[in-house]
Amino acid sequence: MGPGDIVSLFLIVALPFLGALLPGLMYGAGRKACASVTLAVTLTALIGLLTRLPEIWSGQTITTRIDWIPALGLNLELWLDPLGFFFAALILGIGCLIIIYGRYYLSREDHMGEFFTYLLLFQGAMVGIVLSDNILLLLIFWELTSLSSFLLIGYWKHLPEGRQGARMALAVTGMGGLAMIGGAIILGQIAGSYRISDIIAARDAIQASELYTTALVLILLGCFTKSAQFPFHFWLPHAMAAPTPVSAYLHSATMVKAGIFLMARLWPALSGTPEWFYLVTGAGLITMCLGAVISFFKHDLKAILAFSTVSHLGLITMLLGTGTAFGVLTAVFHILNHATFKAALFMSAGIVDHEAHTRDIRRLGGLRHLMPVTATIAIIAALSMAGIPLMNGFISKEMMLKEALETQLFGPEWLVPALATFGALFSAAYSFRFIAHTFLGKTRDDYPSHPHDPNKGMWLPPAFLTVLVVGIGVLPFLVEPFVKFVTGAVLGGVAEVPDYHLAIWHGVNIPLMMSAVAVVGGLILLGLHRGLQAGWDKTPRPEAKTIFDGIIAGAISFARGLTGGLHDGAFTRYAAILALAIIAAAGHAWMTGEVGAPALPFAWPNLASALGWLMLVVATVVLVATHHNRLLALILMGIIGTMVSVGFAYFSAPDLAMTQISVEVVTIILMLLALNFLPDWTPKESTPMQRLFDGTVAILGGLGAGGLCYHLLRRTAVETPISSYHLENSYYGGGGTNVVNVILVDFRGFDTFGEIIVLGIAALVIYALTEALLSGPVRARLLNRVPDKPLAGDRHPLMMVVLTRVMMPIVLMVGVYIFLRGHNQPGGGFIAGLVVAVAVVMQYLASGFAWATDRQRYPYHAIIGSGVLAAGLTGIGAWFAGREFLTSSFGYVKLPGLEAFEVASALFFDLGVFLAVVGAVMLSLESFSRLARRSDTRDPEHPMDIDPSRDQRAEGGA
Amino acid sequence: MELIVASAVGVLTAAGLYLVTRLRTFPVIIGVALLTYAVNVFLFASGRLTVGAAPILRDGMENYADPLPQALVLTAIVISFGMTAVVVVIALGAYLAGDDDRVNDAADHLDTTRVGGKEAGQ
């Protein structure tokens, strides 16, 4: 395998995807350019594929792979074997014809670039399915076909039928695809590899596995939904709301054949068991007969073809289900034949629709005089569909009947042949009706538009296909080697390719008789159509769309009931549900888990800690009891926070204590700012029952959390904690003796980096929300707000102003000190940032917003940004030393006149943390205080309200 | 020692849960803050309790308090400030815009079909 091989296989799959960019770009250059470039892309892929034919033909299988996620077994593995080649050639070959046809079919109002983009995406996904040698990769392409076909079916967005049809197709095929994921994973697990070639080779292991039936059912759900097999056949006719080129493409050679393809692909691994036989042949037979009967009674040309497609897919499915080599041979041959005549028929129906402006067969008839070319094409293709000799459909139908004769299902041996004949009979009947009611008969004078043969571009593609229809029908031996070649690939060595010759004449035998019965019966049915139709219309039938809509509506109302019941807009209810759910889950874990014996000794608290505990508990209880008084609640919260930080200090966590106390300060300030606007009092609203319920939930939760904590504290860790690593490496690896700080800036530096970004984002969110408030209707309310309490005489008390200014440099120096020593002693960027923020906030508090803002040189956004940037750049700096992101380094610097001191790169990282914290805290608080500016009092320009000399000067000047 | 820490966590959790299920925004925010204390202390306690052994490396010292929960809780404290601030500004905005600081939707808006309410008109 040379590098050229890799390029070629990947290129075949990638070309349509890459090419999907072009139609949109070329749309501006005109419709012709748009279609030409699309055609060029498909044609290039097709030629690329065909150049590989000699290698395939000589018995080679081309494989190529690129590792994608090897740990999951998901790799870009492609292979080209005869089966893949056959399907890829169909997809790309018919794709070329569809593109030519589509260029003339689409009207000027349709956005051609969009159309061809979707088409190429779909085409690439289909080629990906058939060339995948990895079942997970195949699943990805499989879902891509569902998505891209959704776009194609719903292309006419203005038509409700188009949107509904697209949604239904997506729901059904997407659901099947989900089921298939399960099946594919089971198969891969059994085979020990997700390579399809390995799975196929693991036939014995798969069929012996007890999960075989599960895997089979799941895979078949995917195949049956995609290939519209009973009971999932209903989506296909609704997908007919798509533009006709889409229908012709999706329902002849591609989308619906994907399910068939997968059944053929996995045939060696899955077939031959009774489960396979009953499921696949059973579903196929039912689908074949059902589709044929419904088709006969439809009036829309495309609906007739849609149900006939359902029926023919059933036929192919049935053939694959029998599990015999002859069945596979017939299936492969019929896939080829069906693709040719069905694409031609869809395109003809599209021409009729395009010219006569109706597809209703009741309004048509006699078109052979008006559009002879189209009529010839459609009649030849329809005769092939009916199974008339000299057309390719005849030969594969004979083979199907022969296979049916040898198949026995559910006891009676006449059942399968009888049903097959019944299906063939209706198949002949609807084909004849399609011909007779559209093209034969007298010319009418009430067509919605005057029909005539279309532009060459529209009839040449179906004409080309009818040449194939007749060519294969008359000279079947020409394609025989190829069909057998593909059959051999499907069989995968499980069975021999049968020694049967594709020929028109096999002598007078039973299949020929059955065929004759079908044709004659079809003609009789056509004669009786009027009466039968009347009877059909009167018979009540389950309507698939109604049932589907009912199921969807049921699912929606169930989901609504469930969500609405839990999620009704009462947020307190969510909180209670959440708390109860957590308590229940924890209770379950407690009941079912194992509880070890206490390993750590019990110690009574000493007096100091008991007093601290008492303060905390009393403050909490009083807070709950008096929470209606909001200011009091804040004060009590401050006590609790202080006691928590004292607790941290007591239990050997100085860093935490310092952080907690400084956060406490800024939090309380923030809440006070908010309380300025909120009511001071929380009304008593909840009923005693409600309070009892909430109290019970709260006490349960408290008991649970406290109990869990106590339990944890009396026992040693289940696994050895990783903390000893940090303690051992902190100094030698991180260059610091304060292990907590080294963890923050070094061991878990990435965490901290994310942390400061989150903090920055939170501050920006607050800023943005404040901006939104201030630019909306709230602004007027704020400006006209009358304070509900008497204001203090001096807004900026002298003592406070003086004191805070004196303190400012001291606090700043403390901040710098805490920052610098942080690596070795309690402190660091977080704490220093909070301390400095408190220093600045004091100025806002004491001297007023305007005064403080005037002296604020750098915007807080920029400080946050520079902090994140500094931390990030320090991390990136490690790259230049050839190390991982955020690897820190440190060294000792000797400056003249000073002792040697340590400089760690972590210091710069910590500087980033410091700046981000300062910026975030200040931006949040500043945003809140901006809300407080009012119109009735001008912002004082001066820090102190009382300054007689200033007032005198102002008077004197005036 | 274990008892007072565990009971403090329990009391803080219970108080937090009770306040979170109140009907106005302010007590709910206070409740969330109390829950934050409880969670932080709980996480910190998962490193077990140690007195007089701060994780500052010193010569001749063998046993230190577990530094990892401390580092995790330190960032949690700072982040919880950010979270509180965002929640407060949202509550404030809602109050200023609607002149109402109730947490729940008004009783006549409570219904079981609110999720699909918009689609019901189709």
mmCIF file of all heavy atoms in Angstrom, chain A residues 568-572 603 613 630 651-652 664 685-686 694 715 723 737 739 755 781, chain B residues 1 7 22 24 37 48 50 52-53 55 57 66 70 75 79 96 101 104-105 110:
data_model
loop_
_atom_site.group_PDB
_atom_site.id
_atom_site.type_symbol
_atom_site.label_atom_id
_atom_site.label_comp_id
_atom_site.label_asym_id
_atom_site.label_seq_id
_atom_site.Cartn_x
_atom_site.Cartn_y
_atom_site.Cartn_z
ATOM 1 N N ASP A 568 -42.668 23.898 38.133
ATOM 2 C CA ASP A 568 -43.859 24.680 37.824
ATOM 3 C C ASP A 568 -43.647 26.168 38.029
ATOM 4 O O ASP A 568 -44.601 26.931 38.028
ATOM 5 C CB ASP A 568 -45.029 24.197 38.689
ATOM 6 C CG ASP A 568 -44.731 24.398 40.153
ATOM 7 O OD1 ASP A 568 -43.567 24.710 40.464
ATOM 8 O OD2 ASP A 568 -45.638 24.245 40.980
ATOM 9 N N GLY A 569 -42.411 26.595 38.213
ATOM 10 C CA GLY A 569 -42.191 28.024 38.386
ATOM 11 C C GLY A 569 -42.016 28.418 39.843
ATOM 12 O O GLY A 569 -41.674 29.544 40.136
ATOM 13 N N ALA A 570 -42.255 27.484 40.757
ATOM 14 C CA ALA A 570 -42.039 27.762 42.176
ATOM 15 C C ALA A 570 -40.640 27.301 42.528
ATOM 16 O O ALA A 570 -40.379 26.119 42.689
ATOM 17 C CB ALA A 570 -43.077 27.030 43.020
ATOM 18 N N PHE A 571 -39.731 28.272 42.662
ATOM 19 C CA PHE A 571 -38.330 27.897 42.833
ATOM 20 C C PHE A 571 -38.083 27.237 44.182
ATOM 21 O O PHE A 571 -37.216 26.376 44.296
ATOM 22 C CB PHE A 571 -37.442 29.137 42.679
ATOM 23 C CG PHE A 571 -37.242 29.525 41.255
ATOM 24 C CD1 PHE A 571 -38.313 29.966 40.488
ATOM 25 C CD2 PHE A 571 -36.007 29.438 40.665
ATOM 26 C CE1 PHE A 571 -38.144 30.317 39.168
ATOM 27 C CE2 PHE A 571 -35.830 29.783 39.332
ATOM 28 C CZ PHE A 571 -36.899 30.222 38.592
ATOM 29 N N THR A 572 -38.843 27.616 45.186
ATOM 30 C CA THR A 572 -38.636 26.980 46.484
ATOM 31 C C THR A 572 -38.897 25.484 46.385
ATOM 32 O O THR A 572 -38.265 24.680 47.055
ATOM 33 C CB THR A 572 -39.603 27.570 47.512
ATOM 34 O OG1 THR A 572 -40.896 27.603 46.932
ATOM 35 C CG2 THR A 572 -39.195 28.970 47.886
ATOM 36 N N ALA A 603 -12.120 13.294 70.733
ATOM 37 C CA ALA A 603 -11.539 14.276 71.663
ATOM 38 C C ALA A 603 -12.605 15.293 72.027
ATOM 39 O O ALA A 603 -13.298 15.810 71.153
ATOM 40 C CB ALA A 603 -10.340 14.966 71.007
ATOM 41 N N TRP A 613 -17.603 27.646 69.014
ATOM 42 C CA TRP A 613 -18.695 26.867 68.437
ATOM 43 C C TRP A 613 -20.033 27.441 68.864
ATOM 44 O O TRP A 613 -20.960 27.596 68.051
ATOM 45 C CB TRP A 613 -18.553 25.409 68.907
ATOM 46 C CG TRP A 613 -19.675 24.510 68.538
ATOM 47 C CD1 TRP A 613 -19.837 23.862 67.354
ATOM 48 C CD2 TRP A 613 -20.798 24.138 69.346
ATOM 49 N NE1 TRP A 613 -20.981 23.132 67.379
ATOM 50 C CE2 TRP A 613 -21.596 23.274 68.577
ATOM 51 C CE3 TRP A 613 -21.198 24.474 70.653
ATOM 52 C CZ2 TRP A 613 -22.785 22.722 69.062
ATOM 53 C CZ3 TRP A 613 -22.379 23.916 71.126
ATOM 54 C CH2 TRP A 613 -23.155 23.057 70.337
ATOM 55 N N ARG A 630 -33.493 42.089 57.812
ATOM 56 C CA ARG A 630 -32.406 41.772 56.898
ATOM 57 C C ARG A 630 -31.056 42.318 57.363
ATOM 58 O O ARG A 630 -30.042 41.669 57.170
ATOM 59 C CB ARG A 630 -32.754 42.298 55.512
ATOM 60 C CG ARG A 630 -33.922 41.534 54.926
ATOM 61 C CD ARG A 630 -34.281 41.982 53.556
ATOM 62 N NE ARG A 630 -35.268 41.063 52.999
ATOM 63 C CZ ARG A 630 -35.766 41.179 51.773
ATOM 64 N NH1 ARG A 630 -35.379 42.180 51.009
ATOM 65 N NH2 ARG A 630 -36.639 40.309 51.329
ATOM 66 N N PHE A 651 -7.626 25.296 63.244
ATOM 67 C CA PHE A 651 -7.312 23.961 62.714
ATOM 68 C C PHE A 651 -6.222 24.021 61.632
ATOM 69 O O PHE A 651 -6.320 23.377 60.592
ATOM 70 C CB PHE A 651 -8.570 23.287 62.182
ATOM 71 C CG PHE A 651 -9.536 22.916 63.276
ATOM 72 C CD1 PHE A 651 -10.749 23.570 63.398
ATOM 73 C CD2 PHE A 651 -9.217 21.915 64.183
ATOM 74 C CE1 PHE A 651 -11.634 23.231 64.409
ATOM 75 C CE2 PHE A 651 -10.103 21.582 65.197
ATOM 76 C CZ PHE A 651 -11.319 22.240 65.309
ATOM 77 N N SER A 652 -5.214 24.835 61.859
ATOM 78 C CA SER A 652 -3.994 24.811 61.050
ATOM 79 C C SER A 652 -4.206 25.194 59.597
ATOM 80 O O SER A 652 -3.622 24.607 58.695
ATOM 81 C CB SER A 652 -3.338 23.430 61.063
ATOM 82 O OG SER A 652 -3.241 22.949 62.360
ATOM 83 N N GLU A 664 -15.145 37.775 53.614
ATOM 84 C CA GLU A 664 -16.283 38.141 54.432
ATOM 85 C C GLU A 664 -16.537 39.645 54.344
ATOM 86 O O GLU A 664 -17.669 40.102 54.185
ATOM 87 C CB GLU A 664 -15.956 37.747 55.884
ATOM 88 C CG GLU A 664 -17.152 37.455 56.719
ATOM 89 C CD GLU A 664 -18.043 36.421 56.090
ATOM 90 O OE1 GLU A 664 -17.538 35.370 55.654
ATOM 91 O OE2 GLU A 664 -19.257 36.684 56.005
ATOM 92 N N GLU A 685 -44.699 35.122 55.080
ATOM 93 C CA GLU A 685 -45.713 34.724 54.093
ATOM 94 C C GLU A 685 -46.065 33.256 54.161
ATOM 95 O O GLU A 685 -47.182 32.867 53.875
ATOM 96 C CB GLU A 685 -45.201 35.021 52.682
ATOM 97 C CG GLU A 685 -45.174 36.482 52.351
ATOM 98 C CD GLU A 685 -44.547 36.713 51.008
ATOM 99 O OE1 GLU A 685 -43.562 36.016 50.685
ATOM 100 O OE2 GLU A 685 -45.037 37.584 50.288
ATOM 101 N N SER A 686 -45.050 32.428 54.457
ATOM 102 C CA SER A 686 -45.324 30.989 54.326
ATOM 103 C C SER A 686 -46.229 30.525 55.463
ATOM 104 O O SER A 686 -46.195 31.051 56.573
ATOM 105 C CB SER A 686 -44.017 30.214 54.308
ATOM 106 O OG SER A 686 -43.187 30.644 55.352
ATOM 107 N N ASP A 694 -40.541 22.708 55.427
ATOM 108 C CA ASP A 694 -39.197 23.186 55.106
ATOM 109 C C ASP A 694 -38.239 22.902 56.259
ATOM 110 O O ASP A 694 -37.087 22.510 56.047
ATOM 111 C CB ASP A 694 -39.222 24.685 54.812
ATOM 112 C CG ASP A 694 -39.965 24.992 53.536
ATOM 113 O OD1 ASP A 694 -40.143 24.057 52.726
ATOM 114 O OD2 ASP A 694 -40.382 26.151 53.346
ATOM 115 N N ARG A 715 -12.734 8.560 60.897
ATOM 116 C CA ARG A 715 -12.139 7.464 60.139
ATOM 117 C C ARG A 715 -10.985 7.960 59.266
ATOM 118 O O ARG A 715 -10.981 9.117 58.851
ATOM 119 C CB ARG A 715 -13.207 6.782 59.271
ATOM 120 C CG ARG A 715 -14.065 5.834 60.074
ATOM 121 C CD ARG A 715 -15.467 5.702 59.504
ATOM 122 N NE ARG A 715 -16.302 4.902 60.410
ATOM 123 C CZ ARG A 715 -16.985 5.427 61.437
ATOM 124 N NH1 ARG A 715 -16.945 6.722 61.674
ATOM 125 N NH2 ARG A 715 -17.710 4.642 62.207
ATOM 126 N N SER A 723 -1.823 13.868 49.334
ATOM 127 C CA SER A 723 -1.265 15.095 49.917
ATOM 128 C C SER A 723 0.216 14.954 50.253
ATOM 129 O O SER A 723 0.966 15.926 50.164
ATOM 130 C CB SER A 723 -2.022 15.438 51.189
ATOM 131 O OG SER A 723 -3.386 15.364 50.949
ATOM 132 N N THR A 737 7.755 26.969 50.706
ATOM 133 C CA THR A 737 7.473 26.182 51.897
ATOM 134 C C THR A 737 6.000 26.274 52.293
ATOM 135 O O THR A 737 5.539 25.477 53.090
ATOM 136 C CB THR A 737 8.331 26.654 53.081
ATOM 137 O OG1 THR A 737 8.112 28.050 53.255
ATOM 138 C CG2 THR A 737 9.795 26.399 52.827
ATOM 139 N N VAL A 739 2.857 25.111 51.470
ATOM 140 C CA VAL A 739 2.422 24.072 50.542
ATOM 141 C C VAL A 739 1.105 24.458 49.871
ATOM 142 O O VAL A 739 0.893 24.189 48.685
ATOM 143 C CB VAL A 739 2.295 22.728 51.281
ATOM 144 C CG1 VAL A 739 2.014 21.616 50.304
ATOM 145 C CG2 VAL A 739 3.565 22.431 52.057
ATOM 146 N N GLU A 755 -9.780 29.231 37.468
ATOM 147 C CA GLU A 755 -10.471 29.889 38.566
ATOM 148 C C GLU A 755 -10.516 31.418 38.395
ATOM 149 O O GLU A 755 -11.564 32.043 38.521
ATOM 150 C CB GLU A 755 -9.677 29.546 39.824
ATOM 151 C CG GLU A 755 -10.243 30.064 41.084
ATOM 152 C CD GLU A 755 -11.046 29.011 41.778
ATOM 153 O OE1 GLU A 755 -10.888 27.833 41.430
ATOM 154 O OE2 GLU A 755 -11.834 29.370 42.639
ATOM 155 N N ARG A 781 -36.316 54.804 37.271
ATOM 156 C CA ARG A 781 -36.746 54.523 38.638
ATOM 157 C C ARG A 781 -35.653 54.816 39.632
ATOM 158 O O ARG A 781 -35.887 55.379 40.699
ATOM 159 C CB ARG A 781 -37.126 53.048 38.770
ATOM 160 C CG ARG A 781 -38.469 52.712 38.186
ATOM 161 C CD ARG A 781 -38.899 51.349 38.656
ATOM 162 N NE ARG A 781 -38.785 51.215 40.105
ATOM 163 C CZ ARG A 781 -39.034 50.099 40.747
ATOM 164 N NH1 ARG A 781 -39.423 49.037 40.091
ATOM 165 N NH2 ARG A 781 -38.927 50.043 42.054
ATOM 166 N N MET B 1 -13.604 17.559 69.629
ATOM 167 C CA MET B 1 -13.246 18.402 68.488
ATOM 168 C C MET B 1 -14.047 18.040 67.247
ATOM 169 O O MET B 1 -14.623 18.881 66.575
ATOM 170 C CB MET B 1 -11.751 18.214 68.166
ATOM 171 C CG MET B 1 -10.844 18.936 69.114
ATOM 172 S SD MET B 1 -11.147 20.683 69.064
ATOM 173 C CE MET B 1 -10.225 21.209 70.482
ATOM 174 N N SER B 7 -21.033 19.137 64.099
ATOM 175 C CA SER B 7 -22.326 19.731 64.437
ATOM 176 C C SER B 7 -22.446 21.121 63.819
ATOM 177 O O SER B 7 -23.526 21.523 63.375
ATOM 178 C CB SER B 7 -22.508 19.785 65.947
ATOM 179 O OG SER B 7 -21.452 20.537 66.511
ATOM 180 N N ARG B 22 -37.074 29.785 51.553
ATOM 181 C CA ARG B 22 -37.943 30.951 51.840
ATOM 182 C C ARG B 22 -38.440 31.560 50.540
ATOM 183 O O ARG B 22 -37.977 31.209 49.457
ATOM 184 C CB ARG B 22 -37.198 31.998 52.666
ATOM 185 C CG ARG B 22 -36.802 31.601 54.084
ATOM 186 C CD ARG B 22 -37.942 31.071 54.938
ATOM 187 N NE ARG B 22 -38.100 29.628 54.749
ATOM 188 C CZ ARG B 22 -39.240 28.971 54.899
ATOM 189 N NH1 ARG B 22 -40.325 29.609 55.241
ATOM 190 N NH2 ARG B 22 -39.310 27.685 54.707
ATOM 191 N N ARG B 24 -38.531 34.936 49.558
ATOM 192 C CA ARG B 24 -37.979 36.182 49.025
ATOM 193 C C ARG B 24 -36.503 35.981 48.687
ATOM 194 O O ARG B 24 -35.835 35.103 49.256
ATOM 195 C CB ARG B 24 -38.126 37.315 50.047
ATOM 196 C CG ARG B 24 -39.558 37.576 50.455
ATOM 197 C CD ARG B 24 -40.320 38.240 49.338
ATOM 198 N NE ARG B 24 -41.723 38.408 49.681
ATOM 199 C CZ ARG B 24 -42.427 39.490 49.365
ATOM 200 N NH1 ARG B 24 -41.854 40.489 48.716
ATOM 201 N NH2 ARG B 24 -43.696 39.562 49.672
ATOM 202 N N TYR B 37 -20.679 28.129 53.517
ATOM 203 C CA TYR B 37 -19.836 27.886 54.692
ATOM 204 C C TYR B 37 -19.799 26.402 55.016
ATOM 205 O O TYR B 37 -18.737 25.835 55.261
ATOM 206 C CB TYR B 37 -20.395 28.608 55.934
ATOM 207 C CG TYR B 37 -20.327 30.108 55.907
ATOM 208 C CD1 TYR B 37 -21.418 30.872 56.315
ATOM 209 C CD2 TYR B 37 -19.174 30.763 55.514
ATOM 210 C CE1 TYR B 37 -21.373 32.244 56.313
ATOM 211 C CE2 TYR B 37 -19.121 32.139 55.512
ATOM 212 C CZ TYR B 37 -20.218 32.869 55.907
ATOM 213 O OH TYR B 37 -20.161 34.227 55.902
ATOM 214 N N ARG B 48 -9.176 15.867 57.565
ATOM 215 C CA ARG B 48 -9.107 15.595 59.005
ATOM 216 C C ARG B 48 -8.619 16.837 59.758
ATOM 217 O O ARG B 48 -8.031 17.740 59.164
ATOM 218 C CB ARG B 48 -8.226 14.385 59.330
ATOM 219 C CG ARG B 48 -8.576 13.118 58.550
ATOM 220 C CD ARG B 48 -10.030 12.714 58.752
ATOM 221 N NE ARG B 48 -10.335 11.440 58.105
ATOM 222 C CZ ARG B 48 -10.685 11.312 56.818
ATOM 223 N NH1 ARG B 48 -10.785 12.375 56.040
ATOM 224 N NH2 ARG B 48 -10.957 10.135 56.321
ATOM 225 N N THR B 50 -6.434 18.992 62.355
ATOM 226 C CA THR B 50 -5.100 19.030 62.946
ATOM 227 C C THR B 50 -4.956 20.368 63.652
ATOM 228 O O THR B 50 -5.375 21.384 63.110
ATOM 229 C CB THR B 50 -4.017 18.962 61.858
ATOM 230 O OG1 THR B 50 -4.574 18.299 60.738
ATOM 231 C CG2 THR B 50 -2.795 18.244 62.327
ATOM 232 N N GLY B 52 -2.317 23.132 65.296
ATOM 233 C CA GLY B 52 -0.926 23.539 65.476
ATOM 234 C C GLY B 52 0.040 22.912 64.497
ATOM 235 O O GLY B 52 1.196 22.692 64.834
ATOM 236 N N ALA B 53 -0.400 22.601 63.306
ATOM 237 C CA ALA B 53 0.516 21.998 62.322
ATOM 238 C C ALA B 53 0.182 22.524 60.941
ATOM 239 O O ALA B 53 -0.181 21.768 60.049
ATOM 240 C CB ALA B 53 0.424 20.478 62.357
ATOM 241 N N PRO B 55 0.422 23.744 57.224
ATOM 242 C CA PRO B 55 1.267 23.159 56.167
ATOM 243 C C PRO B 55 2.302 24.149 55.650
ATOM 244 O O PRO B 55 2.365 24.449 54.461
ATOM 245 C CB PRO B 55 0.262 22.754 55.100
ATOM 246 C CG PRO B 55 -0.894 23.645 55.304
ATOM 247 C CD PRO B 55 -0.937 23.985 56.746
ATOM 248 N N LEU B 57 6.279 24.377 55.576
ATOM 249 C CA LEU B 57 7.381 23.449 55.837
ATOM 250 C C LEU B 57 8.392 24.084 56.799
ATOM 251 O O LEU B 57 8.805 25.220 56.633
ATOM 252 C CB LEU B 57 8.064 23.066 54.527
ATOM 253 C CG LEU B 57 7.155 22.370 53.507
ATOM 254 C CD1 LEU B 57 7.930 22.065 52.246
ATOM 255 C CD2 LEU B 57 6.548 21.105 54.077
ATOM 256 N N ASP B 66 -3.274 18.466 56.223
ATOM 257 C CA ASP B 66 -3.406 18.113 54.810
ATOM 258 C C ASP B 66 -3.553 19.402 53.982
ATOM 259 O O ASP B 66 -4.538 20.131 54.138
ATOM 260 C CB ASP B 66 -4.643 17.228 54.656
ATOM 261 C CG ASP B 66 -4.681 16.574 53.296
ATOM 262 O OD1 ASP B 66 -4.014 17.099 52.390
ATOM 263 O OD2 ASP B 66 -5.368 15.554 53.152
ATOM 264 N N GLN B 70 -7.151 22.323 51.795
ATOM 265 C CA GLN B 70 -7.037 23.765 52.061
ATOM 266 C C GLN B 70 -6.939 24.543 50.762
ATOM 267 O O GLN B 70 -7.600 25.573 50.582
ATOM 268 C CB GLN B 70 -5.811 24.035 52.924
ATOM 269 C CG GLN B 70 -5.926 23.416 54.310
ATOM 270 C CD GLN B 70 -4.874 23.965 55.249
ATOM 271 O OE1 GLN B 70 -4.244 24.966 54.955
ATOM 272 N NE2 GLN B 70 -4.692 23.296 56.379
ATOM 273 N N THR B 75 -9.747 28.331 46.920
ATOM 274 C CA THR B 75 -10.325 28.823 45.656
ATOM 275 C C THR B 75 -11.839 28.818 45.743
ATOM 276 O O THR B 75 -12.499 29.690 45.182
ATOM 277 C CB THR B 75 -9.854 27.975 44.480
ATOM 278 O OG1 THR B 75 -10.075 26.612 44.775
ATOM 279 C CG2 THR B 75 -8.386 28.187 44.209
ATOM 280 N N ILE B 79 -14.297 31.864 44.763
ATOM 281 C CA ILE B 79 -15.317 31.696 43.728
ATOM 282 C C ILE B 79 -16.703 31.939 44.302
ATOM 283 O O ILE B 79 -17.579 32.501 43.646
ATOM 284 C CB ILE B 79 -15.235 30.276 43.122
ATOM 285 C CG1 ILE B 79 -14.168 30.246 42.032
ATOM 286 C CG2 ILE B 79 -16.562 29.841 42.539
ATOM 287 C CD1 ILE B 79 -14.481 31.050 40.825
ATOM 288 N N LEU B 96 -35.632 45.529 41.002
ATOM 289 C CA LEU B 96 -35.771 46.883 40.479
ATOM 290 C C LEU B 96 -36.675 46.903 39.256
ATOM 291 O O LEU B 96 -37.441 47.837 39.046
ATOM 292 C CB LEU B 96 -34.391 47.443 40.124
ATOM 293 C CG LEU B 96 -33.495 47.757 41.331
ATOM 294 C CD1 LEU B 96 -32.123 48.171 40.869
ATOM 295 C CD2 LEU B 96 -34.128 48.825 42.188
ATOM 296 N N ASP B 101 -39.656 41.052 45.038
ATOM 297 C CA ASP B 101 -38.501 40.195 45.286
ATOM 298 C C ASP B 101 -38.938 38.785 45.655
ATOM 299 O O ASP B 101 -38.232 38.075 46.350
ATOM 300 C CB ASP B 101 -37.577 40.794 46.350
ATOM 301 C CG ASP B 101 -38.238 40.872 47.718
ATOM 302 O OD1 ASP B 101 -39.487 40.792 47.769
ATOM 303 O OD2 ASP B 101 -37.515 41.008 48.723
ATOM 304 N N ASN B 104 -40.698 32.835 43.775
ATOM 305 C CA ASN B 104 -41.560 32.002 42.932
ATOM 306 C C ASN B 104 -42.340 32.843 41.944
ATOM 307 O O ASN B 104 -42.593 34.025 42.175
ATOM 308 C CB ASN B 104 -42.555 31.238 43.806
ATOM 309 C CG ASN B 104 -41.856 30.212 44.655
ATOM 310 O OD1 ASN B 104 -40.728 29.850 44.361
ATOM 311 N ND2 ASN B 104 -42.522 29.761 45.694
ATOM 312 N N ASP B 105 -42.744 32.193 40.849
ATOM 313 C CA ASP B 105 -43.662 32.846 39.929
ATOM 314 C C ASP B 105 -44.977 33.101 40.663
ATOM 315 O O ASP B 105 -45.320 32.381 41.599
ATOM 316 C CB ASP B 105 -43.931 31.949 38.715
ATOM 317 C CG ASP B 105 -42.731 31.929 37.789
ATOM 318 O OD1 ASP B 105 -41.747 32.597 38.111
ATOM 319 O OD2 ASP B 105 -42.788 31.238 36.765
ATOM 320 N N LEU B 110 -48.366 29.724 37.983
ATOM 321 C CA LEU B 110 -47.899 28.378 38.247
ATOM 322 C C LEU B 110 -48.811 27.419 37.522
ATOM 323 O O LEU B 110 -50.001 27.352 37.775
ATOM 324 C CB LEU B 110 -47.968 28.062 39.743
ATOM 325 C CG LEU B 110 -47.020 28.822 40.668
ATOM 326 C CD1 LEU B 110 -47.175 28.295 42.075
ATOM 327 C CD2 LEU B 110 -45.598 28.654 40.214
#
